[in-house]
Amino acid sequence: MKPHLKPLVKQLLNARRVSLPGAAPADSLRTPSLPYPNGWFCLAFTDEVRPGSVTTRPLAGTEVVLYRTAKGVPRAVRPRCPHLGAHLGVGGSIEGEDIVCPFHRFAFDPDGTCVRTGYDKPPPKASLAQYPVCEANGSIYVWWHALGVPPQWEVPVFPMDDRQPYSHDTFDIAGHPQDVIENAFDWGHLPALHGLKGLDIEGTPVAGEPTSTVTATARGTMMRGFRQSYTLTVIGLATIAARTVLPRDAGTLYVMLHATPTSPGRIQLRFGTKLELNGIPGVPGTVGRAAAMPVARLLSAVLQRVASVDTGADLLMWHYQEHVEHPKLAKGDGPIGRYRQWAQQFYTEPTGDLMPPRPPRAGASRSDE
């Protein structure tokens, strides 16, 4: 990262908000040009929704109540009780597998059906409006579609240890998920903003596929002093999941970046880091494996702070960035045009941001688009 950006990034991370004198967030000066995309969006990391807990999260101009039953089943519902409209996230509680409204104690089972009232009388024929929800890769996703269409694809699952949570942070910023996820294909910013060197990167979105993969090798990443290879999995217009296998099969480092639309021109940016170790170097067999998880948790928190510095630089850019529908791309940018064409599948209506793809060049591993 360039030295002049470091004080701004540290201010962001310490204050938990993005604010610069003399500069206005992108959503405050102009009407956002992109609508909400369709797809799976992360509303929480797994450890944020514990059994018996109820929490409310914004999504696409509305609210979602997330809860987990006593048996650990995650559910996502619209916040209003169908009885008299009380907000289930304001004083709602979990009793066994049911969520209970705080106003009249109407209870709803995991399918959303009203199963009892607070009066010891037969319940009415009523049910909660539910969102499709899935839990994958230490994250809780909720499906949103402008037309209410049910899920059309699944979130890919990575081979990770679900017993270990992520170290994570959440920021509310101006921005749009498409611009955040574009980072995976904006290869020019990696050396310019983050100082990566010796970058060897490849990967182009495939039309019609909901996920995409980028592989890269570079120096100057989070693993300072090493030439690091990593794989990025892009999941819709919602998630960039980075996976790095450590040298000598010591373990795996996961970094998750979730962009969730909350209101026009605003997003919640969730960022998490998790290190999984196969053992402790120099500590034999069973003892080393037993110590691996607590040591990995400690190191995950440290690595989250290290990674936050680089991610903070991106946060600054996104918060003040204006979406340019027809960018003047240059050699070295990466396959941004192909990415934007791929992104169209996640909108109910075309956004006006279509860009014709350039023909692929055989053997190219670096950006030449």
Side-chain angles (χ1 to χ4, degrees), residues 37-41 141 143 153-156 158 176-185 205 208-213 233-241 257-259 261 339 342-347:
N38 304 317
W40 290 104
F41 296 98
Y141 287 87
W143 174 266
W153 48 276
E154 297 181 353
V155 176
F158 307 121
H176 189 277
Q178 180 176 315
D179 293 325
V180 172
I181 305 306
E182 189 167 273
N183 248 36
F185 302 99
E209 293 292 330
T211 62
S212 187
T213 302
T233 302
V234 175
I235 305 172
L237 296 186
T239 298
I240 300 175
L257 184 71
H258 299 295
Y339 163 76
W342 174 83
Q344 289 293 309
Q345 68 181 303
F346 301 105
Y347 295 99

Side-chain angles (χ1 to χ4, degrees), residues 49-65:
V49 185
R50 300 182 182 278
S53 69
V54 179
T55 188
T56 304
R57 293 290 161 86
L59 174 64
T62 187
E63 289 183 323
V64 176
V65 170

Side-chain angles (χ1 to χ4, degrees), residues 38 144-149 348:
N38 304 317
W144 185 91
H145 194 284
L147 301 180
V149 174
T348 300

Side-chain angles (χ1 to χ4, degrees), residues 197-200 217-221 223 225-229 247 366:
K197 302 180 184 299
L199 184 63
D200 187 9
T217 303
R219 294 192 307 275
T221 63
M223 306 294 286
F226 295 93
R227 183 167 176 80
Q228 179 183 351
S229 296
R366 295 175 182 267

